Amino acid sequence: MAIKPPFTELHIPKAPSGFYEGHSLPIALISKVSMSLLVIWALVWPANAGSTLGSLNWRLLETFNSFYIIIVGFFAFFLLAVAVLPSGRKVMGREGEKPEFSNFSWFSMMFGAGLGVGLMVFATAEPLGLWGSNPVVISGAVAGGTEEALQSGYRYTFLHYGFHAWVIYVVTGLSLAYYAYTRDMPLTIRSALTPLFGRYVNGFFGHIVDVLGIVATILGVSVTIGFGVSQFIDGVYAVTGMEWVMNMGAEVPTPSKVGLIAGLVVIMGLSIISAVSGVGRGVKYLSNLNLVMSIILLLTFVVFGSFVFAMTTYGSALVDYILHFVQLSFGAWGPQSAVDFASLLPAEAQPLAESLSGAQNPWGSFDSFVAGLEGDAAALPPETLAAVYEAGNAGRQFGWQAGWTTFYWAWWIAFSPFVGLFLARISKGRSVREFIVGCVIAPALVCFAWMTILGGTAIDLELSGAAEGAITGASNTNKLFVTLQIMLGDGAFLSGITVMCVVLVMTFLVTSADSGILVMNTIMSGGEQETGIKHRIIWGILLTLVIGALLLAAGEENPMNALQSAMIIGALPFTMVMGLMCVALAKALYRDSLREKHGVAGE
């Protein structure tokens, strides 16, 4: 059988002159118009936008929860196979080509773009939250917030910020880098589907694929910046005491919408300035600064925190995570209908099924379920109520998984066009195996250290009674600052570290936002890595408007709701694109190995 060269005749029509010179007009207009309509909807009809996005989000989760869980598990084992097979030796570049960036700068940029803000916000919040609520806890096997819940809490913490999270980024990044550097194709989303669809990606189908990547990027970056700006405002309040940036009427002071919008304008203004300077200067220098300050923060917790407790937890949690890897990869839950729930109830409880539906609530406990019962339901004997609670376990497991793990997978998937393309942009000259190991194993192990050293210290302070519930009672974005205050006490050192954390959050945000702006322009320009300054500014402004409008569309109680819902909705189509990327990459690697064997040119 004749072995043909691969299809590389990718043509993305670009405007020859005018405002969009060098850019794809269909991609630019479709993506900008769709995002502009979202902004107008959220600003003119904020209540309608917030409620509609929330309702649609939940319907999609009910239908596609299992799909999200299983496909991420598939990504993990797919990349493992690619790394182990001989194709992993292939270098993404010309023969003898050396990597563009040093290992330190390469790691700094991937770390800052991939999880910088997420680690600052969730290094304490995630372990504490999962310590109190995780699938083992809601099943009733152990009580939340106890020493017995520590193992399962970190199992799911490592799941959400470990190998599974990074394989999502690497599926997209490896696909883009492979075609760009071994076949000299444009660094854009549609290139990853050429082995499957050939010349069809040159038309409208290819435009839609690229637009899906841009939309997912905007929404994924928006959620990250939303969380980061909230922590930034918490830090500003901790340093300055300015109450106008906070909602002081809440049970726990949280950033107000005025404060969030003010912080957003500051961050995005700096991001646009950095994006204008390009990857080689602004992003690179900021990323190196981020990593240095991150190390200082980590060392502060090593010296003053619960380091022995953290390292013990690190080792046991890593082993536990690996032992449960397959189950965590494919253990998906579906929604439990009212009929199914009623059919599992004891006979005497079945007439009261509607009153007992609280047993399906994933955010409570058995005690809170019993405390909330009234009338005949409350009069049921304890053994019957225990059986009722057990009958609702499937509903609780689904609700928890959809609201926590699936939210993370959608977030990482929405973030993956940005992080994946950015990883591809900085990884020329590296082998396929080096790319997978370097971008999955190394950053995941560092994330584990952050989660155990920072989060473990917070948990130890709560277990020992030193915190007296102050950390768990704080908002997610303020838990880091409360932990620092309890750990260090008052004084100049606390003030200095707090200021550094505020600066670190700011630089992480700027790095994420300006990298996202550069990536969106790369896609819009058909893979060009150097794009016009005016378009970087426009995308920066549009990104600011999207985040601001969706923050305003949400309720004061949780300003992130509309952003999160829009992100999960926008991530779903790109999840399907990523599945096709895996099939296409498997085909490309296999066919290229045959071409090498038969001496057929790869370009």
Side-chain angles (χ1 to χ4, degrees), residues 26-38 53 189 207-223 410-411 413-418 516 519-521 523-524 539 542-543 546-547 550 563-575 577:
I27 297 174
L29 291 181
I30 294 173
S31 55
K32 287 182 178 178
V33 168
S34 61
M35 289 296 99
S36 298
L37 291 175
L38 178 62
L53 287 170
I189 306 297
H207 298 332
I208 294 300
V209 169
D210 284 341
V211 168
L212 290 177
I214 291 177
V215 170
T217 298
I218 291 174
L219 297 175
V221 171
S222 294
V223 170
W411 190 4
I413 288 167
F415 219 46
S416 69
F418 152 49
V519 164
M520 286 184 281
N521 276 282
I523 298 174
M524 192 176 71
W539 272 114
L542 185 55
L543 181 59
V546 169
I547 300 169
L550 290 175
L563 268 174
Q564 293 174 13
S565 296
M567 179 270 296
I568 293 174
I569 295 166
L572 181 60
F574 195 76
T575 308
V577 172

Short mmCIF file of all heavy atoms in Angstrom, two decimals, residues 26-38 53 189 207-223 410-411 413-418 516 519-521 523-524 539 542-543 546-547 550 563-575 577:
data_model
loop_
_atom_site.label_atom_id
_atom_site.label_comp_id
_atom_site.label_asym_id
_atom_site.label_seq_id
_atom_site.Cartn_x
_atom_site.Cartn_y
_atom_site.Cartn_z
N PRO A 26 -13.81 35.91 9.06
CA PRO A 26 -14.90 35.12 9.65
C PRO A 26 -14.66 34.78 11.12
O PRO A 26 -15.57 34.89 11.95
CB PRO A 26 -14.94 33.86 8.78
CG PRO A 26 -14.33 34.26 7.49
CD PRO A 26 -13.28 35.26 7.85
N ILE A 27 -13.43 34.36 11.45
CA ILE A 27 -13.13 34.00 12.85
C ILE A 27 -13.28 35.23 13.74
O ILE A 27 -13.90 35.17 14.81
CB ILE A 27 -11.70 33.43 12.97
CG1 ILE A 27 -11.58 32.13 12.17
CG2 ILE A 27 -11.36 33.16 14.43
CD1 ILE A 27 -10.16 31.59 12.12
N ALA A 28 -12.71 36.35 13.31
CA ALA A 28 -12.75 37.56 14.12
C ALA A 28 -14.18 38.04 14.34
O ALA A 28 -14.57 38.34 15.48
CB ALA A 28 -11.93 38.67 13.45
N LEU A 29 -14.96 38.07 13.27
CA LEU A 29 -16.32 38.62 13.39
C LEU A 29 -17.24 37.70 14.19
O LEU A 29 -17.99 38.16 15.05
CB LEU A 29 -16.90 38.88 12.00
CG LEU A 29 -16.25 40.03 11.21
CD1 LEU A 29 -16.92 40.21 9.86
CD2 LEU A 29 -16.30 41.33 12.00
N ILE A 30 -17.18 36.39 13.92
CA ILE A 30 -18.07 35.46 14.63
C ILE A 30 -17.76 35.47 16.13
O ILE A 30 -18.66 35.54 16.97
CB ILE A 30 -17.94 34.03 14.07
CG1 ILE A 30 -18.45 33.97 12.62
CG2 ILE A 30 -18.75 33.04 14.93
CD1 ILE A 30 -18.19 32.64 11.93
N SER A 31 -16.48 35.41 16.47
CA SER A 31 -16.12 35.37 17.89
C SER A 31 -16.42 36.70 18.58
O SER A 31 -16.97 36.72 19.69
CB SER A 31 -14.64 35.00 18.05
OG SER A 31 -13.82 35.88 17.31
N LYS A 32 -16.11 37.81 17.95
CA LYS A 32 -16.36 39.10 18.58
C LYS A 32 -17.85 39.42 18.69
O LYS A 32 -18.31 39.94 19.72
CB LYS A 32 -15.63 40.21 17.81
CG LYS A 32 -14.13 40.20 18.01
CD LYS A 32 -13.45 41.33 17.26
CE LYS A 32 -11.95 41.34 17.53
NZ LYS A 32 -11.24 42.40 16.79
N VAL A 33 -18.60 39.10 17.65
CA VAL A 33 -20.05 39.35 17.70
C VAL A 33 -20.71 38.50 18.77
O VAL A 33 -21.55 38.98 19.53
CB VAL A 33 -20.69 39.09 16.32
CG1 VAL A 33 -22.22 39.07 16.43
CG2 VAL A 33 -20.27 40.17 15.32
N SER A 34 -20.33 37.21 18.85
CA SER A 34 -20.94 36.33 19.85
C SER A 34 -20.63 36.80 21.27
O SER A 34 -21.50 36.82 22.14
CB SER A 34 -20.47 34.89 19.65
OG SER A 34 -19.06 34.79 19.81
N MET A 35 -19.40 37.22 21.52
CA MET A 35 -19.04 37.73 22.84
C MET A 35 -19.69 39.08 23.13
O MET A 35 -20.09 39.36 24.26
CB MET A 35 -17.51 37.84 22.97
CG MET A 35 -16.80 36.50 23.07
SD MET A 35 -17.26 35.56 24.58
CE MET A 35 -18.46 34.41 23.91
N SER A 36 -19.81 39.92 22.10
CA SER A 36 -20.47 41.21 22.28
C SER A 36 -21.94 41.03 22.63
O SER A 36 -22.49 41.75 23.48
CB SER A 36 -20.33 42.06 21.02
OG SER A 36 -18.97 42.35 20.74
N LEU A 37 -22.60 40.08 21.98
CA LEU A 37 -24.00 39.80 22.30
C LEU A 37 -24.15 39.30 23.73
O LEU A 37 -25.11 39.65 24.42
CB LEU A 37 -24.56 38.77 21.31
CG LEU A 37 -24.74 39.25 19.87
CD1 LEU A 37 -25.19 38.09 18.96
CD2 LEU A 37 -25.76 40.39 19.81
N LEU A 38 -23.20 38.48 24.18
CA LEU A 38 -23.23 38.01 25.57
C LEU A 38 -23.10 39.19 26.53
O LEU A 38 -23.81 39.27 27.55
CB LEU A 38 -22.11 37.00 25.81
CG LEU A 38 -21.96 36.45 27.24
CD1 LEU A 38 -23.21 35.69 27.65
CD2 LEU A 38 -20.73 35.55 27.34
N LEU A 53 -28.55 31.33 32.21
CA LEU A 53 -27.27 30.63 32.17
C LEU A 53 -27.22 29.55 33.25
O LEU A 53 -26.74 28.43 33.00
CB LEU A 53 -26.12 31.62 32.36
CG LEU A 53 -25.80 32.54 31.18
CD1 LEU A 53 -24.81 33.61 31.59
CD2 LEU A 53 -25.28 31.74 29.99
N ILE A 189 -6.17 26.03 16.17
CA ILE A 189 -6.92 24.85 16.61
C ILE A 189 -7.23 23.89 15.46
O ILE A 189 -7.10 22.68 15.59
CB ILE A 189 -8.24 25.28 17.30
CG1 ILE A 189 -7.96 26.26 18.44
CG2 ILE A 189 -8.98 24.06 17.82
CD1 ILE A 189 -7.14 25.70 19.56
N HIS A 207 -13.38 27.34 10.43
CA HIS A 207 -13.65 28.59 11.13
C HIS A 207 -14.38 28.33 12.44
O HIS A 207 -14.06 28.94 13.48
CB HIS A 207 -14.51 29.52 10.26
CG HIS A 207 -13.86 29.94 8.97
ND1 HIS A 207 -12.49 30.02 8.82
CD2 HIS A 207 -14.38 30.30 7.76
CE1 HIS A 207 -12.20 30.41 7.60
NE2 HIS A 207 -13.34 30.59 6.93
N ILE A 208 -15.38 27.46 12.40
CA ILE A 208 -16.17 27.16 13.60
C ILE A 208 -15.29 26.53 14.68
O ILE A 208 -15.40 26.86 15.87
CB ILE A 208 -17.36 26.24 13.27
CG1 ILE A 208 -18.36 26.97 12.38
CG2 ILE A 208 -18.05 25.76 14.54
CD1 ILE A 208 -18.94 28.23 13.00
N VAL A 209 -14.39 25.62 14.29
CA VAL A 209 -13.48 24.98 15.24
C VAL A 209 -12.63 26.03 15.94
O VAL A 209 -12.47 26.03 17.17
CB VAL A 209 -12.60 23.93 14.55
CG1 VAL A 209 -11.48 23.46 15.48
CG2 VAL A 209 -13.44 22.74 14.10
N ASP A 210 -12.08 26.97 15.17
CA ASP A 210 -11.25 28.02 15.76
C ASP A 210 -12.08 28.94 16.65
O ASP A 210 -11.61 29.38 17.71
CB ASP A 210 -10.57 28.82 14.66
CG ASP A 210 -9.39 28.09 14.04
OD1 ASP A 210 -8.89 27.14 14.69
OD2 ASP A 210 -8.97 28.44 12.93
N VAL A 211 -13.29 29.25 16.23
CA VAL A 211 -14.16 30.12 17.05
C VAL A 211 -14.48 29.44 18.38
O VAL A 211 -14.49 30.08 19.44
CB VAL A 211 -15.46 30.47 16.29
CG1 VAL A 211 -16.48 31.10 17.24
CG2 VAL A 211 -15.16 31.42 15.14
N LEU A 212 -14.75 28.13 18.34
CA LEU A 212 -15.01 27.40 19.59
C LEU A 212 -13.81 27.50 20.53
O LEU A 212 -13.97 27.62 21.75
CB LEU A 212 -15.33 25.93 19.29
CG LEU A 212 -16.67 25.64 18.61
CD1 LEU A 212 -16.80 24.15 18.31
CD2 LEU A 212 -17.83 26.10 19.47
N GLY A 213 -12.61 27.45 19.96
CA GLY A 213 -11.42 27.60 20.78
C GLY A 213 -11.32 28.98 21.40
O GLY A 213 -10.97 29.13 22.57
N ILE A 214 -11.65 30.02 20.63
CA ILE A 214 -11.60 31.39 21.15
C ILE A 214 -12.65 31.60 22.23
O ILE A 214 -12.36 32.16 23.31
CB ILE A 214 -11.80 32.41 20.01
CG1 ILE A 214 -10.60 32.41 19.08
CG2 ILE A 214 -12.04 33.81 20.57
CD1 ILE A 214 -10.73 33.34 17.89
N VAL A 215 -13.88 31.14 21.98
CA VAL A 215 -14.96 31.31 22.96
C VAL A 215 -14.62 30.58 24.26
O VAL A 215 -14.80 31.12 25.36
CB VAL A 215 -16.30 30.82 22.38
CG1 VAL A 215 -17.37 30.76 23.47
CG2 VAL A 215 -16.75 31.72 21.25
N ALA A 216 -14.13 29.34 24.14
CA ALA A 216 -13.76 28.58 25.34
C ALA A 216 -12.64 29.31 26.10
O ALA A 216 -12.66 29.39 27.33
CB ALA A 216 -13.32 27.17 24.96
N THR A 217 -11.67 29.84 25.34
CA THR A 217 -10.56 30.56 25.98
C THR A 217 -11.06 31.77 26.75
O THR A 217 -10.67 32.00 27.91
CB THR A 217 -9.55 31.01 24.91
OG1 THR A 217 -9.00 29.86 24.27
CG2 THR A 217 -8.43 31.82 25.54
N ILE A 218 -11.93 32.56 26.13
CA ILE A 218 -12.46 33.76 26.79
C ILE A 218 -13.15 33.39 28.09
O ILE A 218 -12.92 34.00 29.14
CB ILE A 218 -13.43 34.51 25.86
CG1 ILE A 218 -12.67 35.13 24.68
CG2 ILE A 218 -14.18 35.60 26.62
CD1 ILE A 218 -13.58 35.76 23.65
N LEU A 219 -14.00 32.36 28.04
CA LEU A 219 -14.78 32.00 29.22
C LEU A 219 -13.91 31.34 30.29
O LEU A 219 -14.10 31.57 31.49
CB LEU A 219 -15.94 31.09 28.82
CG LEU A 219 -16.96 31.76 27.88
CD1 LEU A 219 -18.02 30.76 27.41
CD2 LEU A 219 -17.62 32.95 28.55
N GLY A 220 -12.96 30.50 29.88
CA GLY A 220 -12.07 29.87 30.85
C GLY A 220 -11.18 30.89 31.54
O GLY A 220 -11.01 30.87 32.76
N VAL A 221 -10.60 31.81 30.76
CA VAL A 221 -9.77 32.85 31.35
C VAL A 221 -10.61 33.77 32.23
O VAL A 221 -10.17 34.24 33.28
CB VAL A 221 -9.06 33.66 30.23
CG1 VAL A 221 -8.36 34.89 30.80
CG2 VAL A 221 -8.06 32.78 29.49
N SER A 222 -11.87 34.00 31.82
CA SER A 222 -12.75 34.88 32.59
C SER A 222 -12.99 34.34 33.99
O SER A 222 -12.97 35.10 34.98
CB SER A 222 -14.09 35.05 31.86
OG SER A 222 -13.94 35.73 30.64
N VAL A 223 -13.25 33.03 34.11
CA VAL A 223 -13.48 32.44 35.42
C VAL A 223 -12.21 32.55 36.28
O VAL A 223 -12.27 32.90 37.47
CB VAL A 223 -13.92 30.97 35.29
CG1 VAL A 223 -13.92 30.28 36.65
CG2 VAL A 223 -15.32 30.90 34.69
N ALA A 410 -14.66 21.09 33.31
CA ALA A 410 -15.12 22.09 32.35
C ALA A 410 -14.21 23.31 32.37
O ALA A 410 -13.89 23.90 31.32
CB ALA A 410 -16.56 22.49 32.65
N TRP A 411 -13.77 23.70 33.57
CA TRP A 411 -12.87 24.86 33.69
C TRP A 411 -11.55 24.59 32.99
O TRP A 411 -11.07 25.39 32.20
CB TRP A 411 -12.66 25.15 35.17
CG TRP A 411 -11.96 26.44 35.47
CD1 TRP A 411 -11.57 27.41 34.58
CD2 TRP A 411 -11.56 26.91 36.77
NE1 TRP A 411 -10.96 28.45 35.24
CE2 TRP A 411 -10.94 28.17 36.58
CE3 TRP A 411 -11.67 26.39 38.06
CZ2 TRP A 411 -10.43 28.91 37.65
CZ3 TRP A 411 -11.17 27.13 39.12
CH2 TRP A 411 -10.56 28.37 38.92
N ILE A 413 -10.96 22.40 30.66
CA ILE A 413 -11.19 22.25 29.22
C ILE A 413 -11.37 23.62 28.56
O ILE A 413 -10.82 23.88 27.49
CB ILE A 413 -12.42 21.34 28.97
CG1 ILE A 413 -12.05 19.88 29.30
CG2 ILE A 413 -12.89 21.44 27.52
CD1 ILE A 413 -13.24 18.96 29.40
N ALA A 414 -12.14 24.50 29.21
CA ALA A 414 -12.31 25.85 28.67
C ALA A 414 -10.98 26.59 28.65
O ALA A 414 -10.72 27.42 27.77
CB ALA A 414 -13.33 26.62 29.50
N PHE A 415 -10.12 26.29 29.60
CA PHE A 415 -8.80 26.92 29.69
C PHE A 415 -7.80 26.30 28.72
O PHE A 415 -6.76 26.90 28.43
CB PHE A 415 -8.30 26.75 31.13
CG PHE A 415 -7.58 27.94 31.68
CD1 PHE A 415 -8.09 29.21 31.53
CD2 PHE A 415 -6.39 27.79 32.37
CE1 PHE A 415 -7.43 30.32 32.06
CE2 PHE A 415 -5.72 28.88 32.90
CZ PHE A 415 -6.24 30.15 32.75
N SER A 416 -8.10 25.10 28.21
CA SER A 416 -7.08 24.34 27.46
C SER A 416 -6.72 24.93 26.10
O SER A 416 -5.56 24.79 25.69
CB SER A 416 -7.51 22.88 27.30
OG SER A 416 -8.61 22.75 26.44
N PRO A 417 -7.63 25.59 25.35
CA PRO A 417 -7.15 26.22 24.11
C PRO A 417 -6.08 27.27 24.41
O PRO A 417 -5.09 27.38 23.69
CB PRO A 417 -8.41 26.86 23.53
CG PRO A 417 -9.54 26.13 24.13
CD PRO A 417 -9.09 25.73 25.50
N PHE A 418 -6.30 28.03 25.49
CA PHE A 418 -5.34 29.05 25.89
C PHE A 418 -4.04 28.41 26.38
O PHE A 418 -2.96 28.67 25.84
CB PHE A 418 -5.98 29.94 26.96
CG PHE A 418 -5.03 30.56 27.94
CD1 PHE A 418 -3.88 31.21 27.50
CD2 PHE A 418 -5.28 30.50 29.30
CE1 PHE A 418 -3.02 31.80 28.40
CE2 PHE A 418 -4.41 31.08 30.21
CZ PHE A 418 -3.27 31.73 29.76
N GLY A 516 -3.65 34.93 27.53
CA GLY A 516 -4.92 34.65 26.86
C GLY A 516 -5.15 35.59 25.69
O GLY A 516 -5.62 35.18 24.63
N VAL A 519 -3.00 34.49 22.83
CA VAL A 519 -3.49 33.25 22.22
C VAL A 519 -4.69 33.52 21.33
O VAL A 519 -4.80 32.99 20.22
CB VAL A 519 -3.84 32.22 23.32
CG1 VAL A 519 -4.71 31.11 22.77
CG2 VAL A 519 -2.56 31.64 23.91
N MET A 520 -5.62 34.36 21.80
CA MET A 520 -6.81 34.67 20.99
C MET A 520 -6.41 35.34 19.68
O MET A 520 -6.98 35.07 18.63
CB MET A 520 -7.77 35.54 21.79
CG MET A 520 -8.51 34.77 22.88
SD MET A 520 -9.72 35.75 23.76
CE MET A 520 -8.69 36.66 24.89
N ASN A 521 -5.42 36.21 19.73
CA ASN A 521 -4.95 36.85 18.51
C ASN A 521 -4.23 35.87 17.60
O ASN A 521 -4.31 35.98 16.38
CB ASN A 521 -4.02 38.02 18.87
CG ASN A 521 -4.80 39.28 19.18
OD1 ASN A 521 -5.26 39.97 18.27
ND2 ASN A 521 -4.97 39.57 20.44
N ILE A 523 -4.97 32.67 17.25
CA ILE A 523 -6.01 31.90 16.55
C ILE A 523 -6.66 32.76 15.48
O ILE A 523 -6.88 32.31 14.34
CB ILE A 523 -7.07 31.40 17.55
CG1 ILE A 523 -6.43 30.46 18.57
CG2 ILE A 523 -8.21 30.68 16.82
CD1 ILE A 523 -7.38 30.04 19.70
N MET A 524 -6.99 34.01 15.82
CA MET A 524 -7.69 34.88 14.88
C MET A 524 -6.83 35.20 13.66
O MET A 524 -7.36 35.42 12.56
CB MET A 524 -8.08 36.18 15.59
CG MET A 524 -9.06 37.05 14.80
SD MET A 524 -9.58 38.51 15.74
CE MET A 524 -8.07 39.48 15.73
N TRP A 539 -8.92 42.86 22.11
CA TRP A 539 -9.30 41.63 22.80
C TRP A 539 -9.19 41.81 24.31
O TRP A 539 -9.98 41.24 25.07
CB TRP A 539 -8.42 40.46 22.34
CG TRP A 539 -8.98 39.76 21.14
CD1 TRP A 539 -8.43 39.70 19.90
CD2 TRP A 539 -10.21 39.04 21.06
NE1 TRP A 539 -9.24 38.99 19.04
CE2 TRP A 539 -10.34 38.56 19.74
CE3 TRP A 539 -11.22 38.74 21.97
CZ2 TRP A 539 -11.42 37.81 19.30
CZ3 TRP A 539 -12.30 37.99 21.54
CH2 TRP A 539 -12.40 37.53 20.22
N LEU A 542 -12.37 43.62 25.25
CA LEU A 542 -13.53 42.73 25.15
C LEU A 542 -13.54 41.72 26.29
O LEU A 542 -14.60 41.43 26.87
CB LEU A 542 -13.51 42.01 23.80
CG LEU A 542 -14.73 41.12 23.48
CD1 LEU A 542 -16.02 41.93 23.59
CD2 LEU A 542 -14.61 40.50 22.09
N LEU A 543 -12.38 41.19 26.64
CA LEU A 543 -12.29 40.25 27.76
C LEU A 543 -12.71 40.93 29.06
O LEU A 543 -13.44 40.35 29.88
CB LEU A 543 -10.85 39.72 27.88
CG LEU A 543 -10.57 38.70 28.99
CD1 LEU A 543 -11.43 37.46 28.82
CD2 LEU A 543 -9.09 38.31 29.00
N VAL A 546 -16.53 41.21 29.05
CA VAL A 546 -17.19 39.92 29.30
C VAL A 546 -17.19 39.60 30.79
O VAL A 546 -18.22 39.24 31.38
CB VAL A 546 -16.50 38.78 28.50
CG1 VAL A 546 -17.00 37.42 28.95
CG2 VAL A 546 -16.76 38.96 27.01
N ILE A 547 -16.02 39.72 31.41
CA ILE A 547 -15.92 39.41 32.85
C ILE A 547 -16.78 40.37 33.66
O ILE A 547 -17.56 39.95 34.53
CB ILE A 547 -14.45 39.50 33.32
CG1 ILE A 547 -13.59 38.51 32.55
CG2 ILE A 547 -14.36 39.22 34.82
CD1 ILE A 547 -12.10 38.71 32.76
N LEU A 550 -20.65 39.71 33.23
CA LEU A 550 -21.13 38.49 33.88
C LEU A 550 -21.03 38.60 35.40
O LEU A 550 -21.84 38.00 36.12
CB LEU A 550 -20.35 37.27 33.37
CG LEU A 550 -20.65 36.89 31.92
CD1 LEU A 550 -19.75 35.76 31.45
CD2 LEU A 550 -22.11 36.49 31.74
N LEU A 563 -20.53 33.69 35.55
CA LEU A 563 -19.28 33.35 34.88
C LEU A 563 -19.08 31.84 34.82
O LEU A 563 -18.72 31.27 33.78
CB LEU A 563 -18.10 33.99 35.62
CG LEU A 563 -17.63 35.37 35.18
CD1 LEU A 563 -16.57 35.89 36.13
CD2 LEU A 563 -17.10 35.34 33.76
N GLN A 564 -19.31 31.17 35.94
CA GLN A 564 -19.11 29.72 36.00
C GLN A 564 -20.09 29.00 35.07
O GLN A 564 -19.70 28.05 34.37
CB GLN A 564 -19.29 29.24 37.44
CG GLN A 564 -18.21 29.73 38.38
CD GLN A 564 -18.48 29.35 39.82
OE1 GLN A 564 -19.34 28.53 40.12
NE2 GLN A 564 -17.77 29.96 40.74
N SER A 565 -21.34 29.43 35.06
CA SER A 565 -22.34 28.79 34.20
C SER A 565 -21.98 28.96 32.73
O SER A 565 -22.03 28.01 31.94
CB SER A 565 -23.73 29.37 34.48
OG SER A 565 -24.14 29.09 35.80
N ALA A 566 -21.62 30.19 32.33
CA ALA A 566 -21.25 30.45 30.94
C ALA A 566 -20.04 29.62 30.53
O ALA A 566 -19.97 29.10 29.40
CB ALA A 566 -20.97 31.94 30.74
N MET A 567 -19.09 29.47 31.45
CA MET A 567 -17.88 28.70 31.16
C MET A 567 -18.19 27.23 30.92
O MET A 567 -17.70 26.62 29.96
CB MET A 567 -16.88 28.86 32.30
CG MET A 567 -15.59 28.11 32.13
SD MET A 567 -15.69 26.45 32.84
CE MET A 567 -15.95 26.81 34.56
N ILE A 568 -19.02 26.63 31.77
CA ILE A 568 -19.35 25.21 31.60
C ILE A 568 -20.09 24.99 30.29
O ILE A 568 -19.84 24.01 29.56
CB ILE A 568 -20.18 24.71 32.80
CG1 ILE A 568 -19.31 24.71 34.07
CG2 ILE A 568 -20.71 23.29 32.55
CD1 ILE A 568 -20.07 24.38 35.33
N ILE A 569 -21.00 25.90 29.95
CA ILE A 569 -21.74 25.80 28.69
C ILE A 569 -20.79 25.92 27.51
O ILE A 569 -20.84 25.15 26.55
CB ILE A 569 -22.83 26.89 28.62
CG1 ILE A 569 -23.88 26.67 29.71
CG2 ILE A 569 -23.49 26.92 27.24
CD1 ILE A 569 -24.79 27.84 29.95
N GLY A 570 -19.88 26.90 27.57
CA GLY A 570 -18.95 27.11 26.47
C GLY A 570 -17.91 26.02 26.32
O GLY A 570 -17.37 25.81 25.23
N ALA A 571 -17.63 25.30 27.41
CA ALA A 571 -16.61 24.25 27.35
C ALA A 571 -17.09 22.99 26.65
O ALA A 571 -16.28 22.24 26.09
CB ALA A 571 -16.15 23.90 28.77
N LEU A 572 -18.40 22.73 26.67
CA LEU A 572 -18.91 21.46 26.16
C LEU A 572 -18.56 21.22 24.69
O LEU A 572 -18.04 20.14 24.35
CB LEU A 572 -20.42 21.37 26.38
CG LEU A 572 -21.08 20.08 25.92
CD1 LEU A 572 -20.49 18.87 26.65
CD2 LEU A 572 -22.60 20.14 26.15
N PRO A 573 -18.82 22.18 23.77
CA PRO A 573 -18.46 21.92 22.37
C PRO A 573 -16.97 21.67 22.18
O PRO A 573 -16.57 20.81 21.38
CB PRO A 573 -18.91 23.19 21.64
CG PRO A 573 -19.92 23.81 22.53
CD PRO A 573 -19.48 23.48 23.93
N PHE A 574 -16.13 22.39 22.94
CA PHE A 574 -14.70 22.19 22.76
C PHE A 574 -14.24 20.85 23.34
O PHE A 574 -13.23 20.30 22.89
CB PHE A 574 -13.90 23.33 23.39
CG PHE A 574 -12.48 23.36 22.94
CD1 PHE A 574 -12.16 23.83 21.68
CD2 PHE A 574 -11.45 22.89 23.74
CE1 PHE A 574 -10.85 23.83 21.23
CE2 PHE A 574 -10.15 22.88 23.31
CZ PHE A 574 -9.84 23.35 22.05
N THR A 575 -14.97 20.32 24.31
CA THR A 575 -14.66 18.98 24.83
C THR A 575 -14.74 17.96 23.70
O THR A 575 -13.90 17.06 23.59
CB THR A 575 -15.63 18.59 25.95
OG1 THR A 575 -15.67 19.63 26.92
CG2 THR A 575 -15.22 17.29 26.62
N VAL A 577 -14.39 18.62 20.50
CA VAL A 577 -13.25 18.89 19.62
C VAL A 577 -12.00 18.21 20.15
O VAL A 577 -11.22 17.61 19.38
CB VAL A 577 -13.02 20.41 19.48
CG1 VAL A 577 -11.72 20.70 18.72
CG2 VAL A 577 -14.20 21.06 18.76
#
